Amino acid sequence: MDLVKFVEEQSVVKNQFPAFKAGDTVSVYYKIKEGAKERIQLYQGVVLQRNSVGNTETFTVRKVSNGIGVERIFPYNSPNIDKIEVNSVGKVRRAKLYYLRALTGKAARIKSKRV
């Protein structure tokens, strides 16, 4: 095994989050430091993609705030993520949902998968 990969695996704390994929609506509880205080901010939206594997894995969440689309990239193994909740499971055919950026209103909805 490569020595760099071995050290990275030992140093990073692996978080236990529920399984989610592109198209799912998730709520990410993210810790934010403001001076000496720390608070948890809720960021709820649709997962556009999951990128990479292992310690460098990230996922992109998109939400619409005041009519403007906002995307945020979260590192999966970040110590600042308090928890992730899966609100609904989406029915999509693609792994990367970049086409949602061009859609607005009802066209931007994703059908829910029946469980």
Side-chain angles (χ1 to χ4, degrees):
M1 181 182 278
D2 190 19
L3 187 61
V4 175
K5 288 182 182 178
F6 178 74
V7 171
E8 284 180 355
E9 288 178 4
Q10 299 300 322
S11 64
V12 174
V13 176
K14 305 236 179 191
N15 295 329
Q16 297 295 324
F17 295 129
F20 62 93
K21 58 181 181 48
D24 295 352
T25 303
V26 296
S27 298
V28 181
Y29 292 85
Y30 199 73
K31 296 176 190 171
I32 294 179
K33 290 184 180 178
E34 295 174 335
K37 295 181 182 178
E38 186 176 279
R39 66 183 178 89
I40 294 178
Q41 184 178 28
L42 173 67
Y43 194 91
Q44 183 176 1
V46 176
V47 177
L48 287 187
Q49 68 171 341
R50 287 187 70 162
N51 196 6
S52 189
V53 177
N55 298 333
T56 60
E57 184 175 0
T58 61
F59 60 98
T60 304
V61 180
R62 177 182 175 85
K63 73 175 183 177
V64 178
S65 179
N66 295 326
I68 299 172
V70 179
E71 292 180 13
R72 185 158 182 191
I73 300 170
F74 294 99
Y76 189 78
N77 289 316
S78 173
N80 292 330
I81 295 179
D82 188 45
K83 66 179 176 176
I84 298 174
E85 292 179 350
V86 179
N87 300 336
S88 67
V89 178
K91 182 180 178 184
V92 294
R93 293 178 165 188
R94 309 210 181 287
K96 314 267 192 218
L97 305 179
Y98 298 135
Y99 66 88
L100 286 179
R101 294 172 176 162
L103 301 178
T104 58
K106 286 187 175 182
R109 289 183 301 181
I110 295 177
K111 291 183 182 178
S112 294
K113 188 182 281 189
R114 295 187 186 209
V115 180

